Amino acid sequence: MTCVHCDDTGSLSKDLEGYLDCSHCDVATERAALEAWAARERIQYGSESSIWLIYQHGKAAAAAK
Protein backbone atom coordinates (compact mmCIF):
# COMPACT_ATOMS: atom_id res chain seq x y z
CA MET A 1 0.00 0.00 0.00
CA THR A 2 1.28 3.42 -0.85
CA CYS A 3 -1.30 5.62 0.91
CA VAL A 4 -1.56 5.15 4.67
CA HIS A 5 -4.82 7.14 4.75
CA CYS A 6 -6.86 4.96 2.35
CA ASP A 7 -4.74 1.81 1.82
CA ASP A 8 -5.00 2.50 -1.93
CA THR A 9 -8.79 2.12 -1.93
CA GLY A 10 -9.48 5.83 -2.53
CA SER A 11 -11.74 5.82 0.52
CA LEU A 12 -10.78 7.21 3.91
CA SER A 13 -12.80 4.38 5.46
CA LYS A 14 -10.28 1.99 3.80
CA ASP A 15 -13.23 0.08 2.34
CA LEU A 16 -13.46 -0.79 -1.36
CA GLU A 17 -17.17 -0.02 -1.22
CA GLY A 18 -16.64 3.34 0.53
CA TYR A 19 -16.82 6.85 -0.89
CA LEU A 20 -13.90 7.98 -3.07
CA ASP A 21 -12.94 10.74 -0.66
CA CYS A 22 -9.20 10.42 -0.02
CA SER A 23 -7.48 13.70 -0.77
CA HIS A 24 -4.04 12.56 0.41
CA CYS A 25 -3.25 10.69 -2.85
CA ASP A 26 -4.57 10.36 -6.42
CA VAL A 27 -6.14 6.92 -5.95
CA ALA A 28 -9.67 8.34 -5.68
CA THR A 29 -9.20 10.29 -8.91
CA GLU A 30 -7.59 7.34 -10.68
CA ARG A 31 -10.31 4.99 -9.49
CA ALA A 32 -13.09 7.37 -10.56
CA ALA A 33 -11.52 7.58 -14.04
CA LEU A 34 -11.28 3.78 -14.22
CA GLU A 35 -14.92 3.38 -13.20
CA ALA A 36 -16.01 5.97 -15.79
CA TRP A 37 -14.00 4.14 -18.46
CA ALA A 38 -15.55 0.79 -17.45
CA ALA A 39 -19.02 2.30 -17.66
CA ARG A 40 -18.32 3.80 -21.10
CA GLU A 41 -16.95 0.48 -22.35
CA ARG A 42 -19.86 -1.35 -20.71
CA ILE A 43 -17.54 -3.72 -18.93
CA GLN A 44 -19.57 -6.08 -16.81
CA TYR A 45 -16.99 -8.11 -14.90
CA GLY A 46 -18.49 -7.50 -11.50
CA SER A 47 -18.59 -4.55 -9.19
CA GLU A 48 -16.44 -1.44 -9.35
CA SER A 49 -14.31 -2.84 -6.55
CA SER A 50 -13.64 -6.00 -8.59
CA ILE A 51 -12.53 -3.94 -11.57
CA TRP A 52 -10.27 -1.87 -9.28
CA LEU A 53 -8.63 -5.00 -7.85
CA ILE A 54 -8.00 -6.38 -11.35
CA TYR A 55 -6.48 -3.04 -12.37
CA GLN A 56 -4.27 -2.88 -9.26
CA HIS A 57 -3.08 -6.46 -9.80
CA GLY A 58 -2.16 -5.62 -13.39
CA LYS A 59 -0.23 -2.52 -12.31
CA ALA A 60 1.69 -4.54 -9.72
CA ALA A 61 2.51 -7.25 -12.24
CA ALA A 62 3.78 -4.69 -14.76
CA ALA A 63 5.92 -3.00 -12.12
CA ALA A 64 7.50 -6.32 -11.18
CA LYS A 65 8.75 -6.92 -14.75
Side-chain angles (χ1 to χ4, degrees), residues 8-49:
D8 292 344
T9 63
S11 177
L12 291 176
S13 67
K14 299 183 181 182
D15 182 13
L16 281 173
E17 302 298 328
Y19 292 109
L20 298 177
D21 57 356
C22 183
S23 60
H24 301 278
C25 66
D26 2 333
V27 172
T29 306
E30 187 177 5
R31 191 165 166 199
L34 176 68
E35 290 175 9
W37 170 81
R40 279 193 312 273
E41 297 298 320
R42 297 189 177 118
I43 293 177
Q44 299 173 4
Y45 294 115
S47 66
E48 288 91 356
S49 57

Side-chain angles (χ1 to χ4, degrees), residues 1-2 8 30 52-65:
M1 300 294 141
T2 57
D8 292 344
E30 187 177 5
W52 178 249
L53 290 174
I54 293 166
Y55 175 74
Q56 287 292 83
H57 183 73
K59 279 179 55 176
K65 288 188 176 186

